[in-house]
Amino acid sequence: MQIAALVWVLVGCWCVSRAIHWLPTRLADEENFVIAETLSLQSCEKKPVLPHVLQAPLLSFFSGVPKCSFKSFGYAGAATLVALWVYSHLGLSWDFFLWTAFGWCLLVLAAVDFQTKLLPDILTLPLMWLGMVIQLWPETRTVGLELAVIGAVAGYLPLWFFAHLYKLIRGRDGLGMGDLKLLAAMGAWSGPFILPHVLLLAALLAIALFVFERVLRRSTAGIHEERPFGPAIVAAYFIVMLFAF
């Protein structure tokens, strides 16, 4: 079990570093391909060639090697800290493998959202469903299937309503749908009662970051400029879970 856990952590650290480099490229290629295909249909030109990263996503993920940089070591170090924290609370068990995978995916989502202002469905939706599936077995159950379903709904539906209400009143998006899916995944894993604490702390962190940018860094960005909220949600979730155990 110890050898399996060590291999799991090493592979996980590599996958975290690789995913943070690969996912922004994939998202950019998807956007560029859709734009090029739309323009080709309008002008009756030849359809654009599908990029390799979209033709064979799994092959493109494993074909490249992340550059050895300070950021790569930082991502790997953060993934290692997540694994150590989970191990200190759960030991070597099935829960260790599940929760380290969940924590690593949250790290990837926070980093990708910071770079692209997008939270890809390729991670948020599987995390939400996995959070409910693990409730079916006593060995992996966290809050039970009922609370997991309620947590997923509570993380998505109320904020979905307020996001659409805000857009109707102000005429612009106030919260992305990716943020709601991320909160739904957290609710599925940890239940609905943790979500108010996560949201409150995430809002405080986002406000503190905005004040830091405006006052200390003298940023000229406006208050209505779009900012990624995913990193604040992930950081708040980690902090809340740190004090919950």
Side-chain angles (χ1 to χ4, degrees), residues 90-140:
L90 300 177
L92 291 181
S93 60
W94 286 112
D95 284 340
F96 169 79
F97 295 99
L98 287 171
W99 280 94
T100 49
F102 182 51
W104 292 337
C105 288
L106 293 182
L107 286 178
V108 173
L109 285 168
V112 171
D113 191 31
F114 181 78
Q115 297 179 52
T116 66
K117 299 178 182 178
L118 293 171
L119 290 166
D121 291 347
I122 193 175
L123 285 180
T124 54
L125 293 180
L127 284 181
M128 181 186 67
W129 288 111
L130 181 60
M132 288 185 277
V133 169
I134 63 175
Q135 311 301 328
L136 300 176
W137 293 276
E139 297 81 5
T140 58

Side-chain angles (χ1 to χ4, degrees), residues 5-236:
L6 179 60
V7 173
W8 173 256
V9 172
L10 292 175
V11 173
C13 290
W14 183 87
C15 287
V16 167
S17 299
R18 178 59 183 155
I20 293 173
H21 286 83
W22 176 80
L23 266 175
T25 302
R26 175 183 169 85
L27 295 173
D29 284 347
E30 284 181 348
E31 182 179 5
N32 293 334
F33 178 75
V34 171
I35 294 173
E37 190 174 41
T38 303
L39 293 176
S40 67
L41 291 175
Q42 293 175 351
S43 59
C44 298
E45 294 179 356
K46 185 179 179 181
K47 288 188 177 182
V49 179
L50 195 67
H52 174 65
V53 71
L54 301 181
Q55 288 180 351
L58 288 178
L59 291 178
S60 65
F61 181 86
F62 291 103
S63 61
V65 179
K67 296 180 179 179
C68 292
S69 63
F70 179 77
K71 286 186 177 180
S72 296
F73 285 114
Y75 298 142
T80 303
L81 288 177
V82 169
L84 290 174
W85 182 79
V86 173
Y87 173 74
S88 66
H89 287 83
L90 300 177
L92 291 181
S93 60
W94 286 112
D95 284 340
F96 169 79
F97 295 99
L98 287 171
W99 280 94
T100 49
F102 182 51
W104 292 337
C105 288
L106 293 182
L107 286 178
V108 173
L109 285 168
V112 171
D113 191 31
F114 181 78
Q115 297 179 52
T116 66
K117 299 178 182 178
L118 293 171
L119 290 166
D121 291 347
I122 193 175
L123 285 180
T124 54
L125 293 180
L127 284 181
M128 181 186 67
W129 288 111
L130 181 60
M132 288 185 277
V133 169
I134 63 175
Q135 311 301 328
L136 300 176
W137 293 276
E139 297 81 5
T140 58
R141 183 177 299 144
T142 56
V143 294
L145 184 58
E146 294 83 359
L147 286 180
V149 173
I150 294 173
V153 173
Y156 189 91
L157 196 57
L159 291 178
W160 177 90
F161 172 78
F162 284 113
H164 281 74
L165 182 63
Y166 180 89
K167 186 175 182 179
L168 181 65
I169 297 174
R170 301 299 300 272
R172 60 172 178 267
D173 292 326
L175 192 64
M177 295 299 105
D179 298 322
L180 306 187
K181 295 169 188 174
L182 175 60
L183 287 167
M186 293 176 176
W189 280 76
S190 302
F193 305 112
I194 198 174
L195 295 177
H197 305 285
V198 171
L199 272 174
L200 177 60
L201 184 55
L204 293 176
L205 291 174
I207 293 172
L209 180 60
F210 173 76
V211 172
F212 173 78
E213 290 178 348
R214 293 298 296 268
V215 177
L216 298 182
R217 297 182 59 183
R218 300 184 181 277
S219 173
T220 58
I223 190 172
H224 298 301
E225 182 177 333
E226 183 183 359
R227 290 177 174 82
F229 192 43
I233 295 176
V234 172

